[in-house]
Structures are given as C-alpha cells and as structure tokens.
Amino acid sequence: VTSISLTNFKSEDAKHQPISSTFTIGQTILFEGNSGIGKTRLLKAVSSFLPYSGCRLVNQTLTNLDDIYEDILYVEQNPYCLSGSLRQNLVIANEQASDVRLKQVLQQVNLSHMSNLDEWIGSGGRQLSGGEIKRLGVARAILSDKSVLLFDEPFEALDRDNISLISELLNGLKTSKIILIASHIKPKQLQTDQILALELASRTNSNPKLGTGVN
C-alpha cells in the first residue's frame, strides 16, 4: 500500500461528518475529535474491521481486500496481551524476528527492564501497567513490516518522557509507512503532515449505503 484515498468516508454509526482526504507513504495523519465522535471507528473502518459509507481507494484503484489485510496493522487503544511469554507476544508481529531484534525493540520503547523473553506476561503472569501495554503495542508495530500503521490513542497512560519517546519513534517510522493516529493528545514532538478534526455531523445528514470492502 502506497496511498489510501477516502471520499465522503465514515464508519457505520459514527457521529462525525464524512471525511475526504488522501494519505501517502511518508505521512503521519492525526485524527482529533471529542470522545465518542468516532475516532476509533474511523480507524477500524479504514482497516475494514467495520462497515463504512463513502469510497475508499487503495493505490488509487480497486484493491482486493486480502491485500489490505496483508499490509496493515491496527494497534488497539488497549493492545491485547496473549496468555503467553513476552517472546510470544512480540513475534506475532514478525515470526522471523531474532531474540536480539526483540530485545533491541524492547529497548527502543523503554521496556528493557522486561529482559526475560520467556517471562509469562499473559493471564496469570506478570501484570503489565497501562503504559507498558501501550509500549508493547508500539513494539509490535516496529517489528512488523506493514506499510500502513493505525494507532488508537497511543499516548494515553504514558508519562511525559514516554510520550516524547514514542513520538520520536513514530517520526522515524513514517519515512517508509503511512501512519494514522487517533488521539486526543497532540505531543509537540510528533511530526504530523495532516491534522483532521472530526466535526459532529448534522442530524439531517443522510447516511449513504454502507460498504464492507474496498469501493
């Protein structure tokens, strides 16, 4: 994926006005809006996890849905922690990553204190803090080779130093990726190419026919 174009696009049941914009490799786009307006739903619709209305083109043409899944990574607001080891929770993003690479990425996201890759961190294991869970999600994104990364509230539950750290990491990642971020926090260190404010839609707006794939 090198570009995503949205025209009159919104997810099902979202409260914001439809958006029209194009995102390309090397760009970071920040979606802003009040809580409940549909920032999370927008990211899920872009990645086809939710139905949507309007038009979405990938690489300026119709693209097979399976091709999108192969090249996109959605990082949840509360990244899921598998019932398994630290290593198992990382290699789901890249099965070929070596232990050396895994430890390098843990250091990048300020999780170097979790140095035992065989430590059980899932259900019944080590209880991760909200900030550690967030950084685990970013670590997976770094390990992946996806061209499109979607982050849902990546700065939530992080202190000032870790917000700065993650912002700089995202700045470095965008050189070869499209990065879409839904966040109510706009760190000064984050380099954004577009900031799209989601506005509340009028109740009189009609809802076009919903799509479930690439239109």
Side-chain angles (χ1 to χ4, degrees):
V1 176
T2 59
S3 71
I4 299 175
S5 296
L6 308 178
T7 305
N8 294 323
F9 185 92
K10 64 180 292 187
S11 67
E12 182 180 17
D13 296 330
K15 297 179 180 179
H16 63 82
Q17 295 177 357
I19 66 169
S20 297
S21 193
T22 297
F23 319 124
T24 59
I25 289 286
Q27 288 188 331
T28 294
I29 291 83
L30 178 67
F31 297 106
E32 293 184 326
N34 294 332
S35 296
I37 201 169
K39 298 189 298 295
T40 294
R41 299 183 70 83
L42 176 61
L43 292 187
K44 289 182 176 181
V46 170
S47 53
S48 294
F49 294 149
L50 288 177
Y52 59 83
S53 62
C55 179
R56 180 193 61 193
L57 297 180
V58 177
N59 299 343
Q60 300 300 319
T61 187
L62 299 180
T63 303
N64 187 287
L65 193 59
D66 292 336
D67 295 334
I68 298 175
Y69 285 132
E70 289 295 322
D71 209 22
I72 193 168
L73 178 69
Y74 170 67
V75 181
E76 306 93 330
Q77 183 172 357
N78 298 298
Y80 188 73
C81 185
L82 299 176
S83 181
S85 67
L86 176 58
R87 179 187 288 105
Q88 290 170 325
N89 270 275
L90 290 171
V91 297
I92 58 173
N94 185 343
E95 295 180 354
Q96 307 303 317
S98 66
D99 285 3
V100 172
R101 176 60 176 152
L102 297 181
K103 290 184 177 182
Q104 180 188 46
V105 171
L106 287 172
Q107 185 174 19
Q108 286 180 274
V109 298
N110 197 21
L111 290 176
S112 57
H113 59 280
M114 298 170 63
S115 58
N116 180 7
L117 294 175
D118 294 316
E119 180 182 11
W120 199 267
I121 65 170
S123 179
R126 183 180 185 279
Q127 184 66 40
L128 302 185
S129 69
E132 287 174 331
I133 286 285
K134 287 287 186 182
R135 284 173 281 151
L136 178 64
V138 176
R140 289 171 177 159
I142 294 173
L143 286 168
S144 78
D145 58 357
K146 311 300 184 185
S147 295
V148 183
L149 302 178
L150 299 91
F151 293 93
D152 191 358
E153 298 288 357
F155 310 111
E156 193 177 57
L158 298 183
D159 59 26
R160 182 181 302 175
D161 289 341
N162 279 313
I163 287 176
S164 177
L165 173 70
I166 297 306
S167 296
E168 294 296 345
L169 286 174
L170 296 183
N171 292 341
L173 285 176
K174 81 168 187 175
T175 57
S176 59
K177 302 179 186 296
I178 300 171
I179 298 181
L180 307 183
I181 301 173
S183 178
H184 66 279
I185 298 174
K186 169 49 172 83
K188 63 181 181 180
Q189 299 89 353
L190 184 67
Q191 299 172 3
T192 55
D193 298 279
Q194 292 187 55
I195 298 179
L196 297 180
L198 303 184
E199 303 290 344
L200 191 65
S202 168
R203 284 187 173 183
T204 60
N205 285 351
S206 60
N207 188 23
K209 183 178 179 181
L210 294 171
T212 56
V214 176
N215 287 335

